[in-house]
Amino acid sequence: MKGTFTKHYDGRAVLDGFTLDIHEGDIVRIMAPSGGGKTTLLRLVSGLEENECGLGNDFARHTFSWVFQEDRLTDSMSGLSNIRLATRGKVDRATILCAFEELGLDDPSKRVDECSGGMKRRMALIRAMLDDGDVIILDEPFTGLDSDARALACRFIEHHRHGRTLLLVSHEEDVLPIHVDRTVSLLP
Amino acid sequence: MQIRHPSAARCQVRTSTIKTRLTKTLCVFFWLAVWQTAAVVVGQRILIVGPVEVVIRLFELLEEPELWSSSVFSTVRIAGGFLLALASAIVLSMLASVHRWVRSLVEPVVQAFKAIPVASIIIVVLIWVDSRNLSVIISFMMVFPVLYTNLLSAIESTDSRMVEMGVSYRLGAYEKLRLIYLPQVYPYFLSSSSLALGLAWKSGVAAEVIGIPDGSLGERLYDAKVFFATADVFAYTLLIVILSVGFEVLMKALIRYLGRRLEAV
Ligand SMILES: Nc1ncnc2c1ncn2[C@@H]1O[C@H](COP(=O)(O)OP(=O)(O)OP(=O)(O)O)[C@@H](O)[C@H]1O
Ligand SMILES: [Mg+2]
């Protein structure tokens, strides 16, 4: 899969003809310093942002399951309802409960606004991994997780990926217990 | 900072709520006492009637079955106008948020409803239709702009990041409504309907006093005024307040129940 992306904000180029060329089914880790355009690249790839580059983009015909940099969960609902509704009822209750267990979360019926930051992050991860998009996009999915929780999360990701392409953004210094096929750097 | 034992803090919270409750009750009693004193000092029952007498008079009046049927007559119409306005505001604000032209079409009507004096509307409506259903139309016209404007601005202020989440997860209309729009709109809905309910009753009764439909509370209020039955005027007013507060409590309970069902509270 290949796409070339350009994006300017306020006349300044965040990405200027950057080409992302990856194999289908790979786990690709994207690295760049803070403000280096990682989120912007993911948004361009998934079509949430208009690409200023007119070249062909193989990503355009895919569907995406996102963990956004913010959780983007509905606060007044339980984690369970959030995930069930976001996956359009295609994932049954038992599977979701199982996923909560795999990640070491206890109460799926607790309102999101009563959950801790780390719990919300993991619920956002469950939502993306159980959804059926062709490409999985994880933008800093481990914020607020300690190394044990992160290890569980990595195992969870590998277990539910089912060979789908995965784009991962995570802090540079993090050594992740997950097999990464390729690392892509966005040089400033 | 000193860390206090949680139960001590809870205890303090409880005493402070008891204190504010007590203060509130005392204030109410203070004004009731002022009212009673004024009634005694003035000493003319045609001008002012004390609170005790008003309550007694209301109980006397409630022995007439006609008063009960008048209450039903007015409640059904005013509540009907409110519910009609609520339904139209929900449908139209949803359409207006999707289609620009609906918005442009509804806007002048809302502005007109807001600007025209109620009294003029009442008179014009009386020329057109029978006074029996006047209060339905008047409470509708008063309430609709409030609900429509509030709902529309609530829909418009929906978090764009959540909308994006909805797009990215390919959500259908049902899921978008439950996950994104209802939780966002719900608090506005609750506060604006409580405001609108008060308006519906005030304008509905005013319309009945002007249009004097047979067998309405407004007619009774008007007759009481004509016969200088001041105690009756006060008693009917109290009854109207009780009915409107009762209906408001009922509506709010219903909205809260629906909110809990949809987990939007
Ligand atoms: N909507 C926007 N409007 C204006 N500028 C933007 C917008 N989104 C991003 N930018 C700018 O683009 C640059 C890259 O932002 P981006 O969010 O892609 O970085 P990032 O690598 O994800 O950073 P972080 O590690 O902090 O998440 C930043 O300088 C940012 O200020
Ligand atoms: Mg980012």
PDB file of all heavy atoms in Angstrom, chain A residues 43 64 66 70 72 74 76-78 81-82 85-86 88 111 128 131-132, chain B residues 161-162 164-165 168-171 174-175 178-179 183 262-265:
ATOM      1  N   ARG A  43      -4.228  11.002  10.017  1.00  0.00           N
ATOM      2  CA  ARG A  43      -5.496  11.587   9.569  1.00  0.00           C
ATOM      3  C   ARG A  43      -5.580  11.638   8.047  1.00  0.00           C
ATOM      4  O   ARG A  43      -6.640  11.424   7.462  1.00  0.00           O
ATOM      5  CB  ARG A  43      -5.676  12.987  10.144  1.00  0.00           C
ATOM      6  CG  ARG A  43      -5.903  13.005  11.660  1.00  0.00           C
ATOM      7  CD  ARG A  43      -5.947  14.438  12.191  1.00  0.00           C
ATOM      8  NE  ARG A  43      -7.032  15.195  11.600  1.00  0.00           N
ATOM      9  CZ  ARG A  43      -8.290  15.097  11.991  1.00  0.00           C
ATOM     10  NH1 ARG A  43      -8.621  14.311  12.984  1.00  0.00           N
ATOM     11  NH2 ARG A  43      -9.232  15.799  11.389  1.00  0.00           N
ATOM     12  N   PHE A  64     -11.159   2.098   8.296  1.00  0.00           N
ATOM     13  CA  PHE A  64     -10.179   2.239   9.377  1.00  0.00           C
ATOM     14  C   PHE A  64     -10.823   2.109  10.749  1.00  0.00           C
ATOM     15  O   PHE A  64     -11.952   2.542  10.951  1.00  0.00           O
ATOM     16  CB  PHE A  64      -9.506   3.614   9.285  1.00  0.00           C
ATOM     17  CG  PHE A  64      -8.764   3.803   7.993  1.00  0.00           C
ATOM     18  CD1 PHE A  64      -9.432   4.245   6.853  1.00  0.00           C
ATOM     19  CD2 PHE A  64      -7.426   3.516   7.911  1.00  0.00           C
ATOM     20  CE1 PHE A  64      -8.762   4.405   5.654  1.00  0.00           C
ATOM     21  CE2 PHE A  64      -6.746   3.670   6.706  1.00  0.00           C
ATOM     22  CZ  PHE A  64      -7.414   4.113   5.576  1.00  0.00           C
ATOM     23  N   TRP A  66      -9.938   3.288  14.467  1.00  0.00           N
ATOM     24  CA  TRP A  66      -9.026   4.251  15.083  1.00  0.00           C
ATOM     25  C   TRP A  66      -8.993   4.163  16.603  1.00  0.00           C
ATOM     26  O   TRP A  66     -10.032   4.088  17.239  1.00  0.00           O
ATOM     27  CB  TRP A  66      -9.537   5.659  14.820  1.00  0.00           C
ATOM     28  CG  TRP A  66      -8.936   6.437  13.687  1.00  0.00           C
ATOM     29  CD1 TRP A  66      -9.355   6.425  12.393  1.00  0.00           C
ATOM     30  CD2 TRP A  66      -7.873   7.394  13.769  1.00  0.00           C
ATOM     31  NE1 TRP A  66      -8.612   7.321  11.659  1.00  0.00           N
ATOM     32  CE2 TRP A  66      -7.690   7.930  12.484  1.00  0.00           C
ATOM     33  CE3 TRP A  66      -7.059   7.854  14.801  1.00  0.00           C
ATOM     34  CZ2 TRP A  66      -6.735   8.897  12.200  1.00  0.00           C
ATOM     35  CZ3 TRP A  66      -6.105   8.817  14.524  1.00  0.00           C
ATOM     36  CH2 TRP A  66      -5.950   9.326  13.226  1.00  0.00           C
ATOM     37  N   GLU A  70      -7.028  11.331  21.549  1.00  0.00           N
ATOM     38  CA  GLU A  70      -7.920  11.498  22.691  1.00  0.00           C
ATOM     39  C   GLU A  70      -8.852  10.286  22.686  1.00  0.00           C
ATOM     40  O   GLU A  70      -9.029   9.654  21.652  1.00  0.00           O
ATOM     41  CB  GLU A  70      -8.762  12.765  22.573  1.00  0.00           C
ATOM     42  CG  GLU A  70      -8.039  13.977  22.008  1.00  0.00           C
ATOM     43  CD  GLU A  70      -7.999  13.952  20.480  1.00  0.00           C
ATOM     44  OE1 GLU A  70      -8.865  13.285  19.875  1.00  0.00           O
ATOM     45  OE2 GLU A  70      -7.095  14.575  19.899  1.00  0.00           O
ATOM     46  N   ARG A  72     -12.177   9.915  22.965  1.00  0.00           N
ATOM     47  CA  ARG A  72     -13.412  10.057  22.177  1.00  0.00           C
ATOM     48  C   ARG A  72     -14.433   8.985  22.505  1.00  0.00           C
ATOM     49  O   ARG A  72     -14.960   8.293  21.617  1.00  0.00           O
ATOM     50  CB  ARG A  72     -13.127  10.076  20.672  1.00  0.00           C
ATOM     51  CG  ARG A  72     -12.122  11.144  20.296  1.00  0.00           C
ATOM     52  CD  ARG A  72     -12.163  11.508  18.844  1.00  0.00           C
ATOM     53  NE  ARG A  72     -11.032  12.368  18.510  1.00  0.00           N
ATOM     54  CZ  ARG A  72     -10.849  12.912  17.323  1.00  0.00           C
ATOM     55  NH1 ARG A  72     -11.706  12.689  16.366  1.00  0.00           N
ATOM     56  NH2 ARG A  72      -9.810  13.682  17.106  1.00  0.00           N
ATOM     57  N   THR A  74     -18.131   8.279  24.757  1.00  0.00           N
ATOM     58  CA  THR A  74     -19.276   9.024  25.275  1.00  0.00           C
ATOM     59  C   THR A  74     -19.312   8.893  26.793  1.00  0.00           C
ATOM     60  O   THR A  74     -19.509   7.805  27.325  1.00  0.00           O
ATOM     61  CB  THR A  74     -20.574   8.500  24.645  1.00  0.00           C
ATOM     62  OG1 THR A  74     -20.462   8.627  23.231  1.00  0.00           O
ATOM     63  CG2 THR A  74     -21.777   9.279  25.131  1.00  0.00           C
ATOM     64  N   SER A  76     -21.343   9.749  29.227  1.00  0.00           N
ATOM     65  CA  SER A  76     -22.511   9.394  30.028  1.00  0.00           C
ATOM     66  C   SER A  76     -22.904   7.931  29.867  1.00  0.00           C
ATOM     67  O   SER A  76     -23.889   7.495  30.431  1.00  0.00           O
ATOM     68  CB  SER A  76     -23.673  10.299  29.651  1.00  0.00           C
ATOM     69  OG  SER A  76     -23.910  10.171  28.276  1.00  0.00           O
ATOM     70  N   MET A  77     -22.156   7.182  29.075  1.00  0.00           N
ATOM     71  CA  MET A  77     -22.498   5.767  28.857  1.00  0.00           C
ATOM     72  C   MET A  77     -21.446   4.858  29.445  1.00  0.00           C
ATOM     73  O   MET A  77     -20.328   5.276  29.729  1.00  0.00           O
ATOM     74  CB  MET A  77     -22.563   5.495  27.368  1.00  0.00           C
ATOM     75  CG  MET A  77     -23.774   6.034  26.717  1.00  0.00           C
ATOM     76  SD  MET A  77     -23.867   5.337  25.082  1.00  0.00           S
ATOM     77  CE  MET A  77     -25.418   6.025  24.601  1.00  0.00           C
ATOM     78  N   SER A  78     -21.808   3.593  29.551  1.00  0.00           N
ATOM     79  CA  SER A  78     -20.835   2.618  30.034  1.00  0.00           C
ATOM     80  C   SER A  78     -19.850   2.284  28.921  1.00  0.00           C
ATOM     81  O   SER A  78     -20.123   2.531  27.739  1.00  0.00           O
ATOM     82  CB  SER A  78     -21.565   1.353  30.451  1.00  0.00           C
ATOM     83  OG  SER A  78     -22.141   0.751  29.324  1.00  0.00           O
ATOM     84  N   SER A  81     -21.554  -0.131  26.470  1.00  0.00           N
ATOM     85  CA  SER A  81     -22.456   0.479  25.478  1.00  0.00           C
ATOM     86  C   SER A  81     -21.665   1.227  24.424  1.00  0.00           C
ATOM     87  O   SER A  81     -22.004   1.180  23.232  1.00  0.00           O
ATOM     88  CB  SER A  81     -23.421   1.459  26.144  1.00  0.00           C
ATOM     89  OG  SER A  81     -24.130   0.827  27.157  1.00  0.00           O
ATOM     90  N   ASN A  82     -20.632   1.947  24.860  1.00  0.00           N
ATOM     91  CA  ASN A  82     -19.782   2.656  23.910  1.00  0.00           C
ATOM     92  C   ASN A  82     -19.257   1.713  22.834  1.00  0.00           C
ATOM     93  O   ASN A  82     -19.324   2.005  21.641  1.00  0.00           O
ATOM     94  CB  ASN A  82     -18.586   3.263  24.643  1.00  0.00           C
ATOM     95  CG  ASN A  82     -18.770   4.733  24.928  1.00  0.00           C
ATOM     96  OD1 ASN A  82     -18.701   5.548  24.022  1.00  0.00           O
ATOM     97  ND2 ASN A  82     -19.044   5.055  26.177  1.00  0.00           N
ATOM     98  N   LEU A  85     -22.127   0.043  20.586  1.00  0.00           N
ATOM     99  CA  LEU A  85     -22.715   0.949  19.603  1.00  0.00           C
ATOM    100  C   LEU A  85     -21.706   1.321  18.521  1.00  0.00           C
ATOM    101  O   LEU A  85     -22.039   1.366  17.344  1.00  0.00           O
ATOM    102  CB  LEU A  85     -23.243   2.207  20.285  1.00  0.00           C
ATOM    103  CG  LEU A  85     -24.562   2.025  21.044  1.00  0.00           C
ATOM    104  CD1 LEU A  85     -24.833   3.204  21.953  1.00  0.00           C
ATOM    105  CD2 LEU A  85     -25.720   1.843  20.069  1.00  0.00           C
ATOM    106  N   ALA A  86     -20.445   1.571  18.931  1.00  0.00           N
ATOM    107  CA  ALA A  86     -19.447   1.988  17.947  1.00  0.00           C
ATOM    108  C   ALA A  86     -19.142   0.866  16.960  1.00  0.00           C
ATOM    109  O   ALA A  86     -18.782   1.120  15.815  1.00  0.00           O
ATOM    110  CB  ALA A  86     -18.166   2.436  18.641  1.00  0.00           C
ATOM    111  N   ARG A  88     -21.365  -1.008  15.890  1.00  0.00           N
ATOM    112  CA  ARG A  88     -22.648  -1.144  15.211  1.00  0.00           C
ATOM    113  C   ARG A  88     -23.351  -2.469  15.549  1.00  0.00           C
ATOM    114  O   ARG A  88     -23.968  -3.096  14.692  1.00  0.00           O
ATOM    115  CB  ARG A  88     -22.473  -0.989  13.699  1.00  0.00           C
ATOM    116  CG  ARG A  88     -21.753   0.305  13.340  1.00  0.00           C
ATOM    117  CD  ARG A  88     -21.351   0.395  11.900  1.00  0.00           C
ATOM    118  NE  ARG A  88     -20.495  -0.664  11.430  1.00  0.00           N
ATOM    119  CZ  ARG A  88     -19.209  -0.804  11.756  1.00  0.00           C
ATOM    120  NH1 ARG A  88     -18.622   0.039  12.569  1.00  0.00           N
ATOM    121  NH2 ARG A  88     -18.499  -1.810  11.276  1.00  0.00           N
ATOM    122  N   ARG A 111     -19.944   3.860  34.116  1.00  0.00           N
ATOM    123  CA  ARG A 111     -19.972   5.030  33.230  1.00  0.00           C
ATOM    124  C   ARG A 111     -18.560   5.489  32.908  1.00  0.00           C
ATOM    125  O   ARG A 111     -17.698   5.507  33.786  1.00  0.00           O
ATOM    126  CB  ARG A 111     -20.699   6.181  33.919  1.00  0.00           C
ATOM    127  CG  ARG A 111     -22.191   6.151  33.825  1.00  0.00           C
ATOM    128  CD  ARG A 111     -22.757   7.186  34.773  1.00  0.00           C
ATOM    129  NE  ARG A 111     -22.358   8.531  34.357  1.00  0.00           N
ATOM    130  CZ  ARG A 111     -23.220   9.432  33.877  1.00  0.00           C
ATOM    131  NH1 ARG A 111     -24.481   9.136  33.774  1.00  0.00           N
ATOM    132  NH2 ARG A 111     -22.803  10.631  33.529  1.00  0.00           N
ATOM    133  N   ALA A 128     -11.418  -0.178  19.024  1.00  0.00           N
ATOM    134  CA  ALA A 128     -10.752  -0.230  17.723  1.00  0.00           C
ATOM    135  C   ALA A 128     -10.436  -1.672  17.312  1.00  0.00           C
ATOM    136  O   ALA A 128     -10.646  -2.054  16.163  1.00  0.00           O
ATOM    137  CB  ALA A 128      -9.469   0.594  17.754  1.00  0.00           C
ATOM    138  N   ASP A 131     -13.512  -3.704  16.274  1.00  0.00           N
ATOM    139  CA  ASP A 131     -14.178  -3.190  15.080  1.00  0.00           C
ATOM    140  C   ASP A 131     -13.574  -3.880  13.852  1.00  0.00           C
ATOM    141  O   ASP A 131     -12.489  -4.477  13.928  1.00  0.00           O
ATOM    142  CB  ASP A 131     -13.974  -1.673  14.998  1.00  0.00           C
ATOM    143  CG  ASP A 131     -14.757  -1.066  13.850  1.00  0.00           C
ATOM    144  OD1 ASP A 131     -15.881  -1.541  13.602  1.00  0.00           O
ATOM    145  OD2 ASP A 131     -14.247  -0.130  13.196  1.00  0.00           O
ATOM    146  N   ASP A 132     -14.299  -3.814  12.707  1.00  0.00           N
ATOM    147  CA  ASP A 132     -13.855  -4.617  11.571  1.00  0.00           C
ATOM    148  C   ASP A 132     -13.209  -3.828  10.438  1.00  0.00           C
ATOM    149  O   ASP A 132     -13.228  -4.255   9.294  1.00  0.00           O
ATOM    150  CB  ASP A 132     -15.034  -5.439  11.046  1.00  0.00           C
ATOM    151  CG  ASP A 132     -16.168  -4.560  10.569  1.00  0.00           C
ATOM    152  OD1 ASP A 132     -16.026  -3.319  10.650  1.00  0.00           O
ATOM    153  OD2 ASP A 132     -17.197  -5.095  10.133  1.00  0.00           O
TER     154      ASP A 132
ATOM    155  N   ARG B 161     -15.053  16.408  17.279  1.00  0.00           N
ATOM    156  CA  ARG B 161     -14.182  15.226  17.349  1.00  0.00           C
ATOM    157  C   ARG B 161     -15.003  13.956  17.496  1.00  0.00           C
ATOM    158  O   ARG B 161     -14.650  12.903  16.975  1.00  0.00           O
ATOM    159  CB  ARG B 161     -13.218  15.378  18.519  1.00  0.00           C
ATOM    160  CG  ARG B 161     -12.220  16.491  18.270  1.00  0.00           C
ATOM    161  CD  ARG B 161     -11.244  16.595  19.391  1.00  0.00           C
ATOM    162  NE  ARG B 161     -11.928  16.667  20.675  1.00  0.00           N
ATOM    163  CZ  ARG B 161     -11.315  16.682  21.853  1.00  0.00           C
ATOM    164  NH1 ARG B 161     -10.005  16.633  21.899  1.00  0.00           N
ATOM    165  NH2 ARG B 161     -11.997  16.751  22.971  1.00  0.00           N
ATOM    166  N   MET B 162     -16.135  14.076  18.213  1.00  0.00           N
ATOM    167  CA  MET B 162     -17.009  12.906  18.331  1.00  0.00           C
ATOM    168  C   MET B 162     -17.689  12.621  16.991  1.00  0.00           C
ATOM    169  O   MET B 162     -17.890  11.465  16.614  1.00  0.00           O
ATOM    170  CB  MET B 162     -18.062  13.126  19.419  1.00  0.00           C
ATOM    171  CG  MET B 162     -17.523  13.026  20.832  1.00  0.00           C
ATOM    172  SD  MET B 162     -16.672  11.474  21.169  1.00  0.00           S
ATOM    173  CE  MET B 162     -18.045  10.378  21.497  1.00  0.00           C
ATOM    174  N   GLU B 164     -16.417  13.154  14.142  1.00  0.00           N
ATOM    175  CA  GLU B 164     -15.373  12.511  13.342  1.00  0.00           C
ATOM    176  C   GLU B 164     -15.232  11.035  13.713  1.00  0.00           C
ATOM    177  O   GLU B 164     -15.073  10.171  12.860  1.00  0.00           O
ATOM    178  CB  GLU B 164     -14.063  13.230  13.620  1.00  0.00           C
ATOM    179  CG  GLU B 164     -13.095  13.200  12.501  1.00  0.00           C
ATOM    180  CD  GLU B 164     -11.880  14.029  12.869  1.00  0.00           C
ATOM    181  OE1 GLU B 164     -11.110  13.599  13.743  1.00  0.00           O
ATOM    182  OE2 GLU B 164     -11.721  15.101  12.282  1.00  0.00           O
ATOM    183  N   MET B 165     -15.317  10.771  15.024  1.00  0.00           N
ATOM    184  CA  MET B 165     -15.289   9.373  15.483  1.00  0.00           C
ATOM    185  C   MET B 165     -16.416   8.602  14.802  1.00  0.00           C
ATOM    186  O   MET B 165     -16.212   7.492  14.311  1.00  0.00           O
ATOM    187  CB  MET B 165     -15.442   9.349  17.013  1.00  0.00           C
ATOM    188  CG  MET B 165     -15.305   8.005  17.685  1.00  0.00           C
ATOM    189  SD  MET B 165     -16.773   6.967  17.600  1.00  0.00           S
ATOM    190  CE  MET B 165     -17.902   7.873  18.640  1.00  0.00           C
ATOM    191  N   SER B 168     -15.571   7.918  11.203  1.00  0.00           N
ATOM    192  CA  SER B 168     -14.502   6.950  11.061  1.00  0.00           C
ATOM    193  C   SER B 168     -14.969   5.530  11.400  1.00  0.00           C
ATOM    194  O   SER B 168     -14.526   4.563  10.787  1.00  0.00           O
ATOM    195  CB  SER B 168     -13.349   7.411  11.951  1.00  0.00           C
ATOM    196  OG  SER B 168     -12.586   6.342  12.354  1.00  0.00           O
ATOM    197  N   TYR B 169     -15.882   5.408  12.362  1.00  0.00           N
ATOM    198  CA  TYR B 169     -16.417   4.087  12.707  1.00  0.00           C
ATOM    199  C   TYR B 169     -17.634   3.704  11.856  1.00  0.00           C
ATOM    200  O   TYR B 169     -18.322   2.750  12.178  1.00  0.00           O
ATOM    201  CB  TYR B 169     -16.752   4.011  14.198  1.00  0.00           C
ATOM    202  CG  TYR B 169     -15.528   3.660  15.033  1.00  0.00           C
ATOM    203  CD1 TYR B 169     -14.668   4.642  15.484  1.00  0.00           C
ATOM    204  CD2 TYR B 169     -15.228   2.341  15.319  1.00  0.00           C
ATOM    205  CE1 TYR B 169     -13.530   4.323  16.209  1.00  0.00           C
ATOM    206  CE2 TYR B 169     -14.093   2.012  16.043  1.00  0.00           C
ATOM    207  CZ  TYR B 169     -13.255   3.000  16.488  1.00  0.00           C
ATOM    208  OH  TYR B 169     -12.140   2.664  17.199  1.00  0.00           O
ATOM    209  N   ARG B 170     -17.901   4.487  10.824  1.00  0.00           N
ATOM    210  CA  ARG B 170     -18.970   4.201   9.879  1.00  0.00           C
ATOM    211  C   ARG B 170     -20.314   3.958  10.577  1.00  0.00           C
ATOM    212  O   ARG B 170     -21.043   3.008  10.277  1.00  0.00           O
ATOM    213  CB  ARG B 170     -18.604   2.985   9.010  1.00  0.00           C
ATOM    214  CG  ARG B 170     -17.239   3.127   8.382  1.00  0.00           C
ATOM    215  CD  ARG B 170     -16.683   1.867   7.770  1.00  0.00           C
ATOM    216  NE  ARG B 170     -16.462   0.753   8.667  1.00  0.00           N
ATOM    217  CZ  ARG B 170     -15.477   0.661   9.553  1.00  0.00           C
ATOM    218  NH1 ARG B 170     -14.626   1.653   9.702  1.00  0.00           N
ATOM    219  NH2 ARG B 170     -15.348  -0.406  10.307  1.00  0.00           N
ATOM    220  N   LEU B 171     -20.637   4.817  11.558  1.00  0.00           N
ATOM    221  CA  LEU B 171     -21.854   4.632  12.335  1.00  0.00           C
ATOM    222  C   LEU B 171     -23.091   4.959  11.511  1.00  0.00           C
ATOM    223  O   LEU B 171     -23.074   5.848  10.671  1.00  0.00           O
ATOM    224  CB  LEU B 171     -21.834   5.531  13.574  1.00  0.00           C
ATOM    225  CG  LEU B 171     -20.702   5.311  14.572  1.00  0.00           C
ATOM    226  CD1 LEU B 171     -20.932   6.150  15.816  1.00  0.00           C
ATOM    227  CD2 LEU B 171     -20.582   3.841  14.951  1.00  0.00           C
ATOM    228  N   TYR B 174     -28.763   5.550  13.850  1.00  0.00           N
ATOM    229  CA  TYR B 174     -29.142   5.159  15.211  1.00  0.00           C
ATOM    230  C   TYR B 174     -27.969   5.282  16.177  1.00  0.00           C
ATOM    231  O   TYR B 174     -28.084   5.882  17.242  1.00  0.00           O
ATOM    232  CB  TYR B 174     -29.674   3.727  15.201  1.00  0.00           C
ATOM    233  CG  TYR B 174     -29.896   3.148  16.575  1.00  0.00           C
ATOM    234  CD1 TYR B 174     -30.980   3.579  17.342  1.00  0.00           C
ATOM    235  CD2 TYR B 174     -29.036   2.193  17.100  1.00  0.00           C
ATOM    236  CE1 TYR B 174     -31.189   3.067  18.617  1.00  0.00           C
ATOM    237  CE2 TYR B 174     -29.238   1.676  18.371  1.00  0.00           C
ATOM    238  CZ  TYR B 174     -30.311   2.111  19.123  1.00  0.00           C
ATOM    239  OH  TYR B 174     -30.511   1.608  20.376  1.00  0.00           O
ATOM    240  N   GLU B 175     -26.823   4.748  15.776  1.00  0.00           N
ATOM    241  CA  GLU B 175     -25.656   4.790  16.661  1.00  0.00           C
ATOM    242  C   GLU B 175     -25.170   6.224  16.863  1.00  0.00           C
ATOM    243  O   GLU B 175     -24.782   6.605  17.963  1.00  0.00           O
ATOM    244  CB  GLU B 175     -24.505   3.941  16.107  1.00  0.00           C
ATOM    245  CG  GLU B 175     -24.732   2.445  16.176  1.00  0.00           C
ATOM    246  CD  GLU B 175     -25.382   1.900  14.922  1.00  0.00           C
ATOM    247  OE1 GLU B 175     -25.450   2.631  13.915  1.00  0.00           O
ATOM    248  OE2 GLU B 175     -25.833   0.739  14.949  1.00  0.00           O
ATOM    249  N   ARG B 178     -27.413   7.906  19.390  1.00  0.00           N
ATOM    250  CA  ARG B 178     -27.221   7.460  20.779  1.00  0.00           C
ATOM    251  C   ARG B 178     -25.853   7.851  21.332  1.00  0.00           C
ATOM    252  O   ARG B 178     -25.742   8.230  22.478  1.00  0.00           O
ATOM    253  CB  ARG B 178     -27.371   5.933  20.869  1.00  0.00           C
ATOM    254  CG  ARG B 178     -28.733   5.448  20.530  1.00  0.00           C
ATOM    255  CD  ARG B 178     -29.579   5.013  21.709  1.00  0.00           C
ATOM    256  NE  ARG B 178     -28.911   4.583  22.897  1.00  0.00           N
ATOM    257  CZ  ARG B 178     -28.999   3.382  23.435  1.00  0.00           C
ATOM    258  NH1 ARG B 178     -29.709   2.466  22.844  1.00  0.00           N
ATOM    259  NH2 ARG B 178     -28.405   3.108  24.563  1.00  0.00           N
ATOM    260  N   LEU B 179     -24.811   7.715  20.501  1.00  0.00           N
ATOM    261  CA  LEU B 179     -23.463   7.955  21.026  1.00  0.00           C
ATOM    262  C   LEU B 179     -23.065   9.422  21.002  1.00  0.00           C
ATOM    263  O   LEU B 179     -22.325   9.876  21.857  1.00  0.00           O
ATOM    264  CB  LEU B 179     -22.429   7.184  20.200  1.00  0.00           C
ATOM    265  CG  LEU B 179     -22.148   5.738  20.564  1.00  0.00           C
ATOM    266  CD1 LEU B 179     -21.179   5.133  19.570  1.00  0.00           C
ATOM    267  CD2 LEU B 179     -21.575   5.626  21.968  1.00  0.00           C
ATOM    268  N   PRO B 183     -26.554  12.381  23.956  1.00  0.00           N
ATOM    269  CA  PRO B 183     -25.865  12.797  25.187  1.00  0.00           C
ATOM    270  C   PRO B 183     -25.519  14.279  25.179  1.00  0.00           C
ATOM    271  O   PRO B 183     -25.507  14.924  26.213  1.00  0.00           O
ATOM    272  CB  PRO B 183     -24.579  11.957  25.193  1.00  0.00           C
ATOM    273  CG  PRO B 183     -24.859  10.818  24.301  1.00  0.00           C
ATOM    274  CD  PRO B 183     -25.809  11.314  23.259  1.00  0.00           C
ATOM    275  N   LEU B 262     -31.605   5.662  27.860  1.00  0.00           N
ATOM    276  CA  LEU B 262     -30.641   5.860  26.777  1.00  0.00           C
ATOM    277  C   LEU B 262     -29.256   6.154  27.321  1.00  0.00           C
ATOM    278  O   LEU B 262     -28.336   6.464  26.572  1.00  0.00           O
ATOM    279  CB  LEU B 262     -31.089   7.017  25.888  1.00  0.00           C
ATOM    280  CG  LEU B 262     -32.397   6.789  25.158  1.00  0.00           C
ATOM    281  CD1 LEU B 262     -32.896   8.072  24.539  1.00  0.00           C
ATOM    282  CD2 LEU B 262     -32.239   5.729  24.091  1.00  0.00           C
ATOM    283  N   GLU B 263     -29.104   6.067  28.638  1.00  0.00           N
ATOM    284  CA  GLU B 263     -27.833   6.362  29.305  1.00  0.00           C
ATOM    285  C   GLU B 263     -27.298   7.727  28.921  1.00  0.00           C
ATOM    286  O   GLU B 263     -26.099   7.914  28.761  1.00  0.00           O
ATOM    287  CB  GLU B 263     -26.775   5.298  28.986  1.00  0.00           C
ATOM    288  CG  GLU B 263     -27.161   3.918  29.448  1.00  0.00           C
ATOM    289  CD  GLU B 263     -26.090   2.902  29.096  1.00  0.00           C
ATOM    290  OE1 GLU B 263     -25.091   2.861  29.822  1.00  0.00           O
ATOM    291  OE2 GLU B 263     -26.262   2.176  28.107  1.00  0.00           O
ATOM    292  N   ALA B 264     -28.200   8.673  28.710  1.00  0.00           N
ATOM    293  CA  ALA B 264     -27.736   9.997  28.272  1.00  0.00           C
ATOM    294  C   ALA B 264     -27.669  10.989  29.433  1.00  0.00           C
ATOM    295  O   ALA B 264     -27.236  12.107  29.255  1.00  0.00           O
ATOM    296  CB  ALA B 264     -28.665  10.528  27.184  1.00  0.00           C
ATOM    297  N   VAL B 265     -28.113  10.568  30.606  1.00  0.00           N
ATOM    298  CA  VAL B 265     -28.155  11.492  31.748  1.00  0.00           C
ATOM    299  C   VAL B 265     -26.752  11.963  32.137  1.00  0.00           C
ATOM    300  O   VAL B 265     -25.860  11.148  32.228  1.00  0.00           O
ATOM    301  CB  VAL B 265     -28.817  10.817  32.961  1.00  0.00           C
ATOM    302  CG1 VAL B 265     -28.848  11.786  34.130  1.00  0.00           C
ATOM    303  CG2 VAL B 265     -30.210  10.367  32.616  1.00  0.00           C
TER     304      VAL B 265
END
